[in-house]
Amino acid sequence: MQPAGERPDARNPSGKAPTRSTVTLRVNGRAHTLELDHRTTLLDALREAIGLTGAKKGCDHGQCGACTVLADGRRVNSCLLLAVAHQDVRITTIEGLGDADAPHPVQEAFLDRDGFQCGYCTPGQICSAVGVLAEAAAGHPSHVTPPDDLAAEGPAELSPDEIRERMSGNLCRCGAYPRIVEAVGDVVV
Ligand code: FES
Ligand code: FES
């Protein structure tokens, strides 16, 4: 019972101690065993518990894509996922894709095409682009795939329209979209 005159904590209105569990997250090939409040998002676990700050918190509501990472090779908004639900899932963040000495081809393409200004959205854009390339290679269609191509087997073609559609969950406040589309198009094989 809340004492009279005291306002409940908006983040914990019940006043009960948060439930915590031990979880092992496998991030960029390394296992991290953590004891986490069940409400901890994957994004907060990566940034605050593990110290990988490449994935960014933009909206924290699944609307901007700044927090995009790969979970078992598929792109996800890590701000929408609970860390404790990712026991042994293979997580890849921007730090795990490549570095200055050995950049991932998508990272190289963003540099070559100048696909950013402030860079805040860029880790999410690059992780998302890596996911797009894998989805296209696996033949997944998108909302703008022409009906005649839906039955086609093999990799999906990534036209600029396809890239724009497939990358539409990643917002860029600087408006670097034309260069981002070019960069992703450069890596299309
Ligand atoms: Fe996750 Fe915006 S921070 S979608
Ligand atoms: Fe600034 Fe995209 S480069 S938000």
Side-chain angles (χ1 to χ4, degrees), residues 57-76:
K57 186 179 284 189
C59 64
D60 210 17
H61 282 82
Q63 295 175 346
C64 72
C67 63
T68 304
V69 299
L70 300 166
D72 284 339
R74 299 183 67 177
R75 54 199 175 131
V76 294

Side-chain angles (χ1 to χ4, degrees), residues 18 28 39 42 60 69 96 113 116 119 125 128 155 158 169 179 185:
N28 303 333
R39 299 166 297 179
L42 180 58
D60 210 17
V69 299
R113 289 289 188 172
F116 47 85
Q125 300 277 4
S128 194
L158 284 181
R179 302 289 91 79

Side-chain angles (χ1 to χ4, degrees), residues 115-122 125 171-176 180:
F116 47 85
Q117 285 186 37
C118 76
Y120 197 82
C121 72
T122 311
Q125 300 277 4
L171 305 184
C172 175
R173 292 154 184 80
C174 299
I180 292 170

Side-chain angles (χ1 to χ4, degrees), residues 11-13 18-19 36-41 44 81-84:
R11 297 182 65 184
N12 185 17
T19 311
L36 296 174
D37 181 329
H38 283 194
R39 299 166 297 179
T40 306
T41 63
D44 284 345
L81 303 174
L82 295 174
V84 292

